[in-house]
Structures are given as structure tokens and as C-alpha cells.
């Protein structure tokens, strides 16, 4: 909201389509499952990117809210994105949100979303599979600190300035 005149896309808005895939496939809704990884995850990312690239035809600022956990550490993928954006006269800007792990757990419990059920029930197992370290060697990366309200307030001002530069 602080960006004003920005196309905001949240990958989680595609969950409704993913649920239909689970239903048709006769699989339980579990975004931590092998089924999700093998059949849904990449399609969600491809869809949100396609929507974002199309949105650049109508607005010069498109923000995608999605973790891109594996992509962010793949220099070949980042290079591909830079080239594709350059063809649209746009630039890559990555916001890495850092939140303390205990705060992440508390917020997941508080939001009480079915997409987090497995993660909360298997917290230690889930956390052991995650890389919370800040990616290195990415010049377009801005670290947004979000473990408390003061960090958030400071980061939002800096992030808007960073994006608008």
C-alpha cells in the first residue's frame, strides 16, 4: 500500500486453483507434500510470473508476494529474469523478508490458515528443511526486517525508497 500505483500480486491467491487440482487428483490438501512439489508448485510460480509480466504492459511497478525459495539462489534463473525484464524495459528488485523463526511460528499459528497445518504440526521437521539465511551475491537484493513492529516500520520506508530509486 505504501508504494501507491503498484500492481500487487500474491501467489497465495492461486491456492484456490491448487485446491481444485488436489480435489481432481484425489489428493489431500497439503502444500508441504511431494504431490505439491511435483505437480503444483512450479505451475503456481509460472502463472504468477506470467501475470506479472503482462501487468508490466500497464504499470511500471509490479510486486509479487511469493517466497521464490529455490529460485532466489539460482544465478541462472536470476539471469534469465533480468534478461526477460530488460526486454520489458524493467528491472529486477528483490525484497528478502527476514523474520526470526520463533516469530514466524507465532504468526503462522495466529493466522490459523489451513495451508500451514502441516508446518505447525511438524514444526521442527519443517524448519529443518528451510534455509532462512540471506542470499548472497545478488545486487538487487534488499533485506526487509520484519520481526517486530519497529523493524517493519523502518523497513517499509527504506523498501519503498529502494523500489522507487
Amino acid at each position: 500500500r505504501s508504494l501507491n500505483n503498484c500492481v500487487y500480486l500474491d501467489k497465495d491467491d492461486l491456492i484456490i486453483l491448487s485446491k481444485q487440482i488436489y480435489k481432481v487428483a484425489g489428493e489431500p490438501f497439503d502444500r508441504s507434500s511431494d504431490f505439491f512439489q511435483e505437480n503444483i508448485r512450479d505451475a503456481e510460480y509460472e502463472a504468477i510470473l506470467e501475470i506479472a509480466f503482462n501487468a508490466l504492459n500497464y504499470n511500471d511497478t509490479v510486486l509479487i508476494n511469493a517466497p521464490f525459495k529455490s529460485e532466489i539462489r539460482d544465478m541462472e534463473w536470476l539471469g534469465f529474469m533480468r534478461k526477460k525484464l530488460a526486454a520489458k524495459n524493467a528491472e529486477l528488485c528483490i525484497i528478502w523478508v527476514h523474520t526470526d523463526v520463533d516469530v514466524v511460528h507465532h504468526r503462522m499459528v495466529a493466522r490459523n490458515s489451513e495451508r500451514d497445518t502441516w508446518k505447525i504440526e511438524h514444526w521442527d521437521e519443517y524448519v529443518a528443511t528451510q534455509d532462512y539465511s540471506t542470499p548472497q551475491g545478488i545486487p538487487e537484493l534488499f533485506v526487509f526486517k520484519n520481526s517486530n513492529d519497529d523493524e517493519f516500520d523502518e523497513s517499509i520506508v527504506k523498501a519503498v525508497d529502494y523500489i522507487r530509486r
Side-chain angles (χ1 to χ4, degrees):
R1 285 178 284 228
S2 297
L3 281 171
N4 297 325
N5 194 29
C6 167
V7 174
Y8 175 81
L9 304 171
D10 190 334
K11 190 180 77 63
D12 286 346
D13 290 340
L14 299 175
I15 289 176
I16 191 166
L17 296 172
S18 299
K19 283 183 175 182
Q20 185 63 24
I21 295 169
Y22 282 104
K23 182 179 173 182
V24 169
E27 291 286 331
F29 178 68
D30 178 359
R31 295 179 64 78
S32 298
S33 67
D34 289 340
F35 179 81
F36 175 77
Q37 289 298 320
E38 295 166 9
N39 299 286
I40 300 173
R41 186 220 183 258
D42 290 348
E44 284 185 353
Y45 279 90
E46 289 171 22
I48 204 73
L49 284 168
E50 185 69 22
I51 294 166
F53 279 106
N54 286 331
L56 283 171
N57 293 323
Y58 303 96
N59 195 304
D60 66 353
T61 304
V62 178
L63 184 111
I64 302 172
N65 182 352
F68 288 94
K69 290 179 191 176
S70 59
E71 293 83 358
I72 194 72
R73 298 177 194 283
D74 180 342
M75 294 305 152
E76 186 176 323
W77 184 85
L78 289 171
F80 171 75
M81 292 304 296
R82 289 180 189 110
K83 287 178 185 173
K84 193 165 180 178
L85 286 164
K88 291 266 190 187
N89 199 30
E91 296 177 31
L92 181 64
C93 178
I94 300 169
I95 308 296
W96 178 263
V97 180
H98 170 79
T99 308
D100 294 337
V101 175
D102 58 329
V103 175
V104 171
H105 183 257
H106 174 77
R107 289 177 181 170
M108 276 188 190
V109 170
R111 80 176 166 195
N112 193 31
S113 172
E114 68 180 321
R115 72 179 185 256
D116 299 325
T117 301
W118 185 91
K119 296 172 191 172
I120 293 167
E121 290 174 355
H122 303 90
W123 185 251
D124 291 336
E125 182 182 348
Y126 168 71
V127 169
T129 66
Q130 303 304 300
D131 184 354
Y132 289 106
S133 66
T134 302
Q136 300 299 309
I138 304 170
E140 305 92 346
L141 185 103
F142 175 86
V143 178
F144 189 108
K145 296 180 181 177
N146 187 21
S147 292
N148 59 56
D149 290 343
D150 290 336
E151 280 187 354
F152 178 89
D153 292 343
E154 183 178 331
S155 288
I156 197 72
V157 171
K158 290 179 179 178
V160 168
D161 182 57
Y162 180 77
I163 292 166
R164 291 294 184 207
R165 65 170 167 82

